[in-house]
Amino acid sequence: MLNREVDLTSCDREPIHKIGAIQPIGVLIAVDSASLTIEFASANTHDTFGCSCADLLGKPLAMVLGEENCAALCARSLQPTMPDLLRPWFLSTRKPDGGIVELECYPHSHDGRIILEFVAIQRSPAAMWETDLLRQRFISELIHPETLPDLAQVGAQIIREVTGFDRVMIYRFAEDKHGQVIAESTIRDDSFLGLHYPASDIPDPARRHFALNVIRIIPDINATPVPIMTPSGGIADASSAAPLDLTYSKLRAVAPVHVEYLNNMGVGASMSISLTSNHELWGLVACHHYAPLHLSWSKLRFCELIGGTISALLQSLENTIKLRQSIRAEKTAFAIEREARMGKPLRDVILDHAEALMDLSSSQGLSLILANERFEAGLVPTSAEGYLALKENLVEGIATSDQLTGQRASANGEADIVSGGAMMELSEDGQDWLVLFRKSYEQTIRWAGKPEKIGILSDGGPIRLSPRGSFAVWSEERRGRSMPFTETDHEILRITRRALFAMNSLDRERGAMAAQAAAEAEEARLRLALLDSERNRSMGELASALAHELNQPLSAVTNYVNACRQELTNYGLDVPQEVDRLMDSAVSESLRAANLVRRLRNFIDQGQISPELIDLHAVIRQGVDLALFATPEDKCEVTFDFHPELKEVHADPVQIGQVILNLVRNSLTAMHGADRRILSIATSCSDSMVRISIKDSGSGISADVMPTLFEPFHNSTTSGMGIGLSLCRSIVEAHGGKIWAETGGTETEFVFTLKANGSSGS
């Protein structure tokens, strides 16, 4: 194991936890958990316990530690913590020669065994950095920073002062696992601050150990490792039939590839402290010394404490940043929900909040698809082909990419490349979605050496992969990508999508309800139109029948009156002038009634009117006189308030006279039996319309009648067929006017308007 060739062809799978050796800074013994029988021992046990590993293998642990120490060991908590911490056990034991040895032990239980790692106790007095005052100062300095870079810089400075390493770096892992140095404290002239290290510098097995163990110390890179022996005399490495798992070992030897890597960097000693956030490996504190450097284990424990504090503060800062961003996203989502629930279309709400949505997600453009309509804002690509491919990668309705190929766009007259996009699905059927776009981010990455390994042909052996030999700064230009979408970005997208999805569902439900209501309204309209058509047909038939029935008696009345006149003449009687006038009036009114019946029949049957220039006031007076003459009620008081400048109106005199007749007759009926019977008729006009008002002092109209007052076959009085007011409405609307009623207490006012053709304004 110790002399094998360094083969890195599969370094990402190399079992470094079964390396079968420890560093020569301590001693290892592994025993069966149940029997406490020694199954493995490092080859240097004689220096500490006075017994060779061959003498110890297969023997009870009590032979080395004594029964009392074995009992104390079994009483300890030996399960590794997550991640595992340095938990020292201070003990003393007797050598075979009777000498007493005092030790610092780091025991843990793993894989059915108890592994004990022993180091010598340092008997020097406590250094100043170990005092409580300095501990408090260091902790207080770590608490003050409010940004990640500031916290990292303070942490690097403290660790370098405590340990004496030449260089202490803190670097953070990116999502693609490469690391960037974000803080550095060094006494050397050169600086690694800002440099990137490729992911291959820390293979997955090493990352696994960093996640499981907080601290890792290598005091001397080139120290000869001490093999761990088995009872059969073999080495307990991965090639052994029963290798020893050193996952949680503090003394585990250094993998040959890592030794070569550090030697290529000129490093003589190193230490790493794992930094975690939200149970994930966030980064590392990497300490380099350019000569061997041995630290006391009490210093290591203090460094572990500092590392844990930095991790906790890192997690707090990151969570605070995420919380602030999440609160901003929740506020925007709340504003969108509030406006959408108030009835504003989601499309308008999103476009109104487009700037806020883009700002939240660090995007520069937006494309919205709702109901097969596209709406855009900001920087958007000219083609949808590239970002539509995001649909194939949706996870919980969200997909992101920092590299959308072939996505060009133009904004403000300048050509830009849309390289990144985040898609949010807004409907269960996949028809509605929102895409936020990020423009290309041209980045110059300064690597600590070219990030690639080199293939080397060994003498007579296979090609092996060697770690990088140069760490000179090497620059790489990255184009065609946007800024990557972080976990915080994804949380913002989840919050935003949740609100938009819910509001889009509400919008769709409203649309469906509106469509259903419109369909029902159209169906009702068609039913009413059919009913109106049927009623009009019935009214036409009724009008024809009435015309036929009335024309005969009206003609007979005319004939009878004329016959009376002739008979009086035949008998030589001198007809008084007043009687002659009354006979002329009877004939005239009979002819007018016949003409009225004919016109009403034509209007009801075909909707025809015969407009002409008429004296509106004369038509009104004639209609009132006819109504009063035909009403067998006691006479009422009639007042006229006519507009003095009202001239001729373009209308059908017979049909308008019929409207006046019907309305006045209704008013006279409404005043039947009233103590006070006053009929008021007034006209007024504006530039475009003439207004006619007929008011009575009758009993008023009940509220339940008002909605159907002008509908056919709905009586407003106790007699009649219920077509009078409907006919009035039809005549008025045929003239381009409107008719309505106003009632209050014991008064009712009917008002209708006509176009003021031929009239002057008031």
Side-chain angles (χ1 to χ4, degrees):
M1 187 281 303
L2 299 179
N3 297 319
R4 65 181 174 86
E5 185 177 282
V6 181
D7 186 359
L8 301 182
T9 54
S10 59
C11 61
D12 281 346
R13 298 183 301 274
E14 187 174 9
I16 58 176
H17 59 299
K18 297 179 180 179
I19 195 169
I22 62 171
Q23 299 179 68
I25 54 175
V27 174
L28 181 144
I29 293 176
V31 301
D32 178 74
S33 295
S35 64
L36 297 186
T37 301
I38 300 175
E39 295 183 334
F40 301 92
S42 58
N44 60 349
T45 56
H46 185 274
D47 297 338
T48 300
F49 298 108
C51 297
S52 67
C53 65
D55 293 336
L56 297 179
L57 290 169
K59 303 297 191 301
L61 181 62
M63 180 181 130
V64 179
L65 300 185
E67 295 292 346
E68 185 176 345
N69 282 331
C70 286
L73 174 67
C74 293
R76 292 181 63 85
S77 175
L78 300 175
Q79 289 297 321
T81 57
M82 293 299 293
D84 199 30
L85 302 172
L86 295 174
R87 294 172 294 167
W89 174 35
F90 298 98
L91 72 155
S92 61
T93 186
R94 188 179 298 277
K95 294 183 179 181
D97 61 5
I100 301 298
V101 57
E102 294 186 350
L103 298 169
E104 188 173 333
C105 180
Y106 292 90
H108 69 273
S109 175
H110 181 59
D111 199 23
R113 298 185 177 91
I114 298 175
I115 299 174
L116 301 97
E117 297 176 281
F118 301 92
V119 296
I121 294 179
Q122 294 182 347
R123 288 300 183 184
S124 59
M128 285 298 294
W129 61 267
E130 292 177 293
T131 64
D132 288 340
L133 289 177
L134 284 182
R135 287 174 186 263
Q136 292 173 7
R137 183 178 68 84
F138 290 149
I139 297 301
S140 65
E141 289 180 4
L142 286 173
I143 291 175
H144 285 308
E146 296 182 356
T147 66
L148 295 177
D150 290 344
L151 173 61
Q153 186 60 44
V154 171
Q157 182 69 26
I158 291 175
I159 292 174
R160 193 187 65 76
E161 291 178 2
V162 168
T163 61
F165 275 97
D166 292 335
R167 188 193 309 276
V168 175
M169 299 171 290
I170 293 183
Y171 68 99
R172 180 180 187 174
F173 294 131
E175 290 191 4
D176 63 358
K177 296 184 179 181
H178 91 271
Q180 180 184 14
V181 179
I182 64 170
E184 179 188 44
S185 177
T186 182
I187 62 172
R188 296 173 65 87
D189 295 334
D190 57 339
S191 173
F192 292 167
L193 184 63
L195 296 184
H196 293 251
Y197 287 78
S200 58
D201 278 12
I202 306 178
D204 284 342
R207 290 177 190 272
R208 173 176 174 268
H209 282 276
F210 285 134
L212 295 176
N213 298 277
V214 172
I215 198 163
R216 167 75 162 156
I217 181 68
I218 306 175
D220 186 351
I221 295 299
N222 294 306
T224 302
V226 179
I228 299 172
M229 309 306 296
T230 67
S232 61
I235 297 175
D237 61 7
S239 63
S240 171
L244 180 62
D245 190 329
L246 298 176
T247 294
Y248 297 100
S249 170
K250 314 307 175 190
L251 302 178
R252 176 172 54 84
V254 187
V257 61
H258 193 52
V259 172
E260 185 174 351
Y261 177 85
L262 292 176
N263 277 319
N264 289 343
M265 294 186 71
V267 174
S270 77
M271 180 180 73
S272 63
I273 304 173
S274 302
L275 301 177
T276 59
S277 178
N278 297 312
H279 309 292
E280 298 288 338
L281 187 62
W282 183 91
L284 288 176
V285 179
C287 307
H288 290 172
H289 203 67
Y290 294 88
L293 179 65
H294 292 268
L295 300 177
S296 68
W297 285 81
S298 61
K299 280 189 178 183
L300 296 180
R301 291 195 298 275
F302 185 60
C303 290
E304 185 181 67
L305 173 63
I306 296 174
T309 304
I310 294 174
S311 289
L313 295 174
L314 281 173
Q315 178 171 320
S316 177
L317 280 175
E318 286 209 324
N319 290 345
T320 299
I321 293 171
K322 289 180 180 179
L323 181 60
R324 288 173 180 168
Q325 291 292 88
S326 296
I327 290 174
R328 288 183 61 205
E330 291 284 4
K331 286 182 177 179
T332 301
F334 176 76
I336 290 174
E337 288 186 15
R338 180 182 57 196
E339 293 182 25
R341 290 189 184 278
M342 292 174 64
K344 190 173 184 179
L346 182 62
R347 171 200 63 213
D348 296 342
V349 176
I350 291 177
L351 294 179
D352 288 347
H353 291 271
E355 291 296 332
L357 290 171
M358 289 187 286
D359 181 58
L360 277 173
S361 58
S362 301
S363 303
Q364 291 76 45
L366 174 152
S367 182
L368 172 67
I369 297 295
L370 286 178
N372 296 320
E373 290 187 89
R374 184 188 304 273
F375 308 93
E376 297 175 341
L379 184 70
V380 296
T382 55
S383 169
E385 295 179 3
Y387 64 81
L388 285 181
L390 286 171
K391 286 187 175 182
E392 301 175 1
N393 301 317
L394 289 170
V395 177
E396 296 182 353
I398 296 173
T400 61
S401 174
D402 62 356
Q403 191 173 27
L404 302 175
T405 58
Q407 296 302 298
R408 268 189 191 278
S410 179
N412 300 324
E414 299 180 1
D416 280 304
I417 301 294
V418 173
S419 296
M423 174 177 281
M424 290 176 280
E425 194 174 45
L426 304 184
S427 62
E428 292 183 356
D429 58 12
Q431 298 301 311
D432 301 337
W433 36 268
L434 176 68
V435 182
L436 296 161
F437 298 106
R438 287 183 176 179
K439 65 181 180 180
S440 180
Y441 174 71
E442 294 187 5
Q443 183 182 18
T444 300
I445 299 180
R446 299 170 65 242
W447 294 97
K450 196 169 184 179
E452 61 183 23
K453 296 176 182 179
I454 304 172
I456 298 177
L457 181 62
S458 304
D459 295 337
I463 294 179
R464 68 183 179 87
L465 202 60
S466 174
R468 295 183 295 128
S470 171
F471 292 87
V473 175
W474 181 79
S475 296
E476 175 190 5
E477 298 293 332
R478 284 192 173 182
R479 293 185 175 88
R481 291 179 179 269
S482 71
M483 290 290 289
F485 288 89
T486 65
E487 179 56 35
T488 301
D489 291 330
H490 281 85
E491 179 63 21
I492 290 172
L493 293 173
R494 283 191 288 270
I495 293 171
T496 304
R497 177 184 178 269
R498 181 189 66 217
L500 296 182
F501 191 95
M503 292 304 98
N504 190 39
S505 299
L506 178 61
D507 228 23
R508 283 188 163 200
E509 183 179 349
R510 284 175 178 162
M513 293 176 64
Q516 181 180 357
E520 292 174 352
E522 179 64 14
E523 182 182 356
R525 188 192 67 80
L526 292 175
R527 285 200 303 268
L528 288 174
L530 183 61
L531 180 59
D532 285 345
S533 176
E534 185 65 24
R535 287 177 175 177
N536 289 338
R537 184 182 66 82
S538 300
M539 290 180 66
E541 293 175 354
L542 176 61
S544 297
L546 288 173
H548 177 73
E549 294 296 330
L550 289 176
N551 278 333
Q552 288 184 350
L554 287 173
S555 297
V557 168
T558 301
N559 292 334
Y560 287 146
V561 171
N562 288 329
C564 287
R565 191 197 310 269
Q566 185 62 44
E567 286 297 322
L568 290 173
T569 302
N570 291 340
Y571 282 99
L573 296 176
D574 187 13
V575 179
Q577 184 178 357
E578 181 63 23
V579 173
D580 190 55
R581 187 185 66 79
L582 290 175
M583 286 182 175
D584 287 340
S585 295
V587 171
S588 176
E589 289 301 320
S590 295
L591 292 174
R592 196 175 76 84
N595 187 37
L596 173 62
V597 170
R598 178 180 58 79
R599 288 200 180 189
L600 288 177
R601 182 192 63 189
N602 291 339
F603 176 76
I604 294 173
D605 193 28
Q606 301 177 10
Q608 294 179 351
I609 61 174
S610 300
E612 59 187 74
L613 288 176
I614 64 171
D615 183 346
L616 181 61
H617 292 163
V619 171
I620 293 174
R621 287 184 182 275
Q622 188 178 37
V624 172
D625 290 343
L626 184 59
L628 292 173
F629 181 77
T631 302
E633 299 287 339
D634 295 335
K635 302 303 180 183
C636 68
E637 180 183 346
V638 181
T639 64
F640 295 97
D641 182 13
F642 290 155
H643 192 284
E645 298 181 8
L646 183 61
K647 295 183 179 180
E648 295 175 324
V649 176
H650 204 65
D652 188 321
V654 175
Q655 293 189 15
I656 296 302
Q658 183 64 38
V659 171
I660 298 296
L661 176 62
N662 287 352
L663 294 179
V664 171
R665 289 182 65 182
N666 273 7
S667 294
L668 293 174
T669 302
M671 291 189 292
H672 175 67
D675 296 334
R676 180 171 170 267
R677 304 176 72 242
I678 301 175
L679 181 66
S680 302
I681 301 171
T683 62
S684 62
C685 63
S686 65
D687 291 338
S688 59
M689 301 298 288
V690 174
R691 184 179 186 272
I692 302 96
S693 166
I694 299 174
K695 181 187 294 186
D696 64 68
S697 58
S699 57
I701 301 174
S702 63
D704 57 338
V705 172
M706 289 294 290
T708 59
L709 189 61
F710 293 95
E711 296 296 326
F713 309 112
H714 289 83
N715 290 346
S716 60
T717 62
T718 57
S719 62
M721 298 179 62
I723 63 174
L725 290 179
S726 174
L727 184 60
C728 290
R729 183 182 66 177
S730 299
I731 292 173
V732 170
E733 290 180 351
H735 281 77
K738 294 183 179 180
I739 187 170
W740 67 92
E742 298 176 358
T743 184
T746 59
E747 289 188 347
T748 300
E749 181 180 16
F750 283 92
V751 182
F752 69 93
T753 61
L754 298 174
K755 290 184 178 179
N757 298 326
S759 67
S760 64
S762 59

